[in-house]
Amino acid sequence: MKTKITENLIKSHNLSKDEYKLILKILKREPNLLELGIFSVMWSEHCSYKSTKKWLKQLPTKAEWVICGPGENAGIIDIGDNDAIVFKMESHNHPSFIEPYQGAATGVGGILRDIFTMGARPIANINSLRFGDPKNSKTKHLLNGVVSGIGDYGNCIGVPTVGGECFFHKSYNHNILVNAMTVGLVKKEKIFYSSAKGIGFPIIYVGGKTGRDGIHGATMASAEFDEKNKDKRPQVQVGDPFKEKLLLEACLELMSSDAIVAIQDMGAAGLTSSSFEMASKGNCGIELELDKVPQRETKMEPYEIMLSETQERMLMIINPNFKEKTAKVFKKWGLEFSEIGKITDTGIMKIYFKGELKATLPIKPLADAAPEYDRPRTKTLKKKEKTLKDFKTINLKQALIKIMSSPNQSSKEWVFNQYDRSVMGDTVADSQKSDSAIIRIHNTNKAVAITCDCNPLYCNSDPYRGALLAVTETWRNLCASGAMPMAITDNLNFGNPEKREIMFEIVESIKGISEACKKLKYPVVSGNVSLYNETEGKSIYPTPVIGGVGLIKNYKNFGRINLKKNKTIFLIGKTYGHMNQSVYEKEIMEVERGKPPKVDFKEEIKNGLFIRKLIEKNLLEGCHDISDGGLVVCLSEMVINSNIGMEIKVPKTSLSFEEWLFSEDQSRYVIVPKNNEEIEYLASIENISINKLGKAGGKKLIIKNCLEIAIKDLIDINNKWFYDYLS
Amino acid sequence: MAKKPLISIIIFPGSNCDRDLIVAIKKTLNVETNIIWHNEKIIPKSDIIFIPGGFSYGDYLRAGILATKSPAIKEVIRWSKKGVRVIGICNGFQILTECKLLPGTLTKNINPSFLCKDIYLKLNKNNKLIKNISKEKLKLPIAHSQGCFYCEEEQLKLLQDNNQIAFQYCDVNGNINKDNNPNGSLLNIAGVTNLKQNILGMMPHPERAIDLQGLSDGKFFFEVLKQL
């Protein structure tokens, strides 16, 4: 029976009236339900980037070492010796709020597939998580579910999860963020792309059987939450990491031959978007026979088959000479597969079901006409500066204790210990041991450094500078690990772009990222946009998460968050005493006020290159960059990590003790040289700001005239929160 | 110089430590490993057969149990009875207890989450299979959610009396106590052998600790295999 396309039906597909008019124009007739469904997912925010495309185009994406920028499944950079690194970050925010375990697990599964679709073996995962206020009744359940979902998926597939962020703030009470990043390794000549080729070549479906799970997941990720979303559980997919492991091994085995002409994973919008994108990129047509799609459930309609988001599925175009080889590999790995169609030269997508033609869609016009909006935006009205609450004045030691035991500054051991960080045997350092996680390139002396960052408080106060600082912080993390920063992936998490102030945040953030990337010669090679992270009109803080990747020439020389007894501790960089939007103001004064710190790129680059050179030459015992919480948090983390104390003297300064210890000025590092004279000499040649702070040793962190705390107490304080909260 | 050992490794769908093991064996013993796919009915003559870590057949039902039905495991059982050394690591250990080649069982960790961390192991120098390891203790990573070793009291006594307890979790100074028991195993047991001491199961991963800074004790474990 033919379903009538009503206004309600159009609305429930999240298509605007204008978009529907465009559909009529392209088809020169009314679409049927299946066609409407296809349009709706292809033009959803999630698949089409319609609100952000205009701005994303302005990001710098090129450098000599960039092999593939945004637009493919992931970005690729050249790390020499014919090796390339493939990476991307992707969000799974909406599903993870509805069903945290499966939402997070399938988020990891999805990003892993993006990487191995390109021919790369995944070598590391990291993730960036944002939860609501710990006091919010849902937070504990969400935290537990997300962490075990991420862990179980990565652990089972055997890819180490080596670090990340975990941050709590009330702005995420009803919209948590789960951003997962995977890094893969591939030989340059074995990179696979999704552009379809070969008229008449068969289209092979392989992996999980299609069910009704996740239908319209992409549309869900393109709308705000409301009370009704509680009923959207069926739109969340279920993950099977074992199947993904088989799919990974089978794909890589098949990729070692010349069987695969083009390949695309079935992620958001499943079979629709994978088949469409392949044909669109290859400028060809496609014919699908949906009866041949392996199905898990009975009586599935074409609409359901095309829009299902069942996990662990791949679509590939095979050279017909390799059909037997392909079948042999998939059988070996026990995978379901089927030839479901072929490539044509018509430029049209034809979908058949039970011998009948069910949909006819012109590929190029549909893809090219995907809406692109320049949505109106307005600068957020300056919020009235809140008057300070009567916060209790506490001494410096109490302040440090309060900060080190706060959820955001607490040790994330509880989280990381649930992640297998050592599988694959190449984890040189996880993100607790160094400012970025360091993974050796198998069978070589090289390593990649991986990190991610975003400070939502900074971004909320000034989206431009906040995003710029997020990029810069990842750059600094990589330098502090001794890596040459090479490129980033960005995961832009915002509220509803149809609201002017949200659109303003989006555009400002993209501009901030752009500026930092240009200044640091640190291009964007892949990314993801997650909008509509709001519930009942309340948006999350703007959260443009940046994932940075760098290269270490010799994995034996890397920056460690470490101390050595009797060695001197130095501060690199200038301290101005910037306290606004700092952890100190947030935790101790209980206020978010003013602007985030400024960054001077000349200083940033000078200091970063200097630090990297010291580490490359193996001149340091320890190194840690100064970020959230300021100098004293940085020093505390070094004490905790090495189980060695220190005695520090505050230099002559016009700053208050609070400012000197807790300010969050940028471009700063703490280093512990092997030989002081050598470092001081090198710093003087390069005009680096360097200050002696004190010496490592003893059983306490001592900052003369300020505070004194035993290592054991510091460790206990730092570990306590997570275990108390979750036990 | 002793002859190089012939080493085979069984790979199941879902194994994920196979590559690490093959690389570790190559790096420490300079031996190419013979790879056996789970459905192969014949394992050629070997001095040592390894069962690697991972999630064999997805570890559905119960960790390790599905693998016990595979043709390759039937071959492992046959060879083990002839005295061939069999070493199961992590999921490999779970498989060996499930097919009763080793005593006891591995249940959910006492804190039920997956746990990944570096631990210290105390070696039982009276156990034939590992006594020649040239260290008193080893620092190795663990990564599992079902590694809590359990057996009946009577069985436990036998394990002690017959020196079948090969490895126990300990602290940096070699002390064995509750505080450094990561998963709730009886007597901090991390690895056991059979009575004949030709079959070893262990939860920690020596193959992940070959040549990384601060994590390279795994090489002492593999190097001793030359002397078997």
Side-chain angles (χ1 to χ4, degrees), chain A residues 421-463:
Chain A
R421 309 184 299 290
S422 55
V423 66
M424 295 184 94
D426 286 315
T427 305
V428 176
D430 60 34
S431 68
Q432 288 164 293
K433 295 193 182 116
S434 181
D435 280 310
S436 3
I438 301 169
I439 305 294
R440 178 172 56 186
I441 301 299
H442 197 62
N443 269 334
T444 75
N445 280 330
K446 288 184 293 190
V448 279
I450 310 160
T451 184
C452 61
D453 187 79
C454 179
N455 183 328
L457 264 50
Y458 289 1
C459 293
N460 185 53
S461 127
D462 181 341

Side-chain angles (χ1 to χ4, degrees), chain A residues 274-285:
Chain A
S274 54
S275 58
F276 224 95
E277 278 173 23
M278 287 174 96
S280 161
K281 280 182 184 150
N283 268 327
C284 46

